[in-house]
Amino acid sequence: MKTVFEHKPDFTFREFAVEKTVTIPARKLEEMLRHPMCNHEAIVENAGVMGVDGDGVYHCLLVTGEGRADGLLVESEGSGSARYASYVPEATALRYPTLSRLNRELAEVVDAIIAEGTSRTTEGNWTVTFFGTGGHDGAVRGGETVPAGDPGGYALQPPGGG
């Protein structure tokens, strides 16, 4: 894994809004990440959508790379370079906030399942079976139509099936 380590960091969080998302070739995003203060075509072409309003909200361009999950949030101050920028490891979280929420909820469920399974045994493998629809009409579980609003769930099967 890789990350950015800043010398004497200043983690001052600022309000922002993504005004536009552009996807560029992965190699161009890599170049932008390595040299953010150089002029970049995607920033030059979209300089007009960026700025800071009277309330201090940064109106930004989200630059993503083809086939990449990460991206760069940019406010250029009208220039062609990333004068203010923030690396975003999971740019889809900004593009689709619902996915970010669902990911958090899924992580909580996985943690709960692991905690429950490991509290019941000290050895062996457990089988986890998921069922339910999350409220979607017409889904089928075990050959039967699941009613709307059925929250679903999971079942833990201990080692040896008992």
Side-chain angles (χ1 to χ4, degrees):
M1 280 196 277
K2 293 182 180 181
T3 191
V4 176
F5 286 96
E6 295 291 332
H7 178 68
K8 298 182 182 179
D10 172 16
F11 296 115
T12 304
F13 292 94
R14 296 171 174 92
E15 293 291 325
F16 71 93
V18 175
E19 297 300 332
K20 185 175 181 182
T21 300
V22 295
T23 302
I24 60 177
R27 64 177 173 71
K28 288 194 177 242
L29 177 61
E30 190 63 38
E31 181 181 315
M32 189 180 293
L33 291 169
R34 276 195 240 120
H35 307 287
M37 295 308 297
C38 292
N39 281 348
H40 297 278
E41 185 178 348
I43 297 174
V44 170
E45 291 175 356
N46 294 285
V49 304
M50 296 175 270
V52 181
D53 67 22
D55 294 324
V57 177
Y58 283 62
H59 296 270
C60 300
L61 177 68
L62 177 60
V63 184
T64 62
E66 293 171 348
R68 293 180 60 142
D70 62 344
L72 191 65
L73 196 58
V74 177
E75 197 289 286
S76 69
E77 293 188 315
S79 76
S81 65
R83 298 264 175 98
Y84 289 90
S86 182
Y87 176 72
V88 183
E90 287 293 331
T92 53
L94 296 180
R95 294 178 68 193
Y96 307 105
T98 301
L99 289 179
S100 180
R101 181 182 55 80
L102 291 173
N103 189 42
R104 271 192 319 275
E105 291 173 2
L106 180 59
E108 289 172 10
V109 169
V110 169
D111 288 343
I113 291 169
I114 291 170
E116 183 178 345
T118 57
S119 71
R120 293 184 182 189
T121 188
T122 58
E123 59 184 59
N125 297 319
W126 283 72
T127 301
V128 180
T129 304
F130 294 92
F131 58 87
T133 66
H136 299 283
D137 287 323
V140 176
R141 174 174 67 220
E144 297 179 22
T145 301
V146 177
D150 183 307
Y154 65 92
L156 291 172
Q157 182 76 27

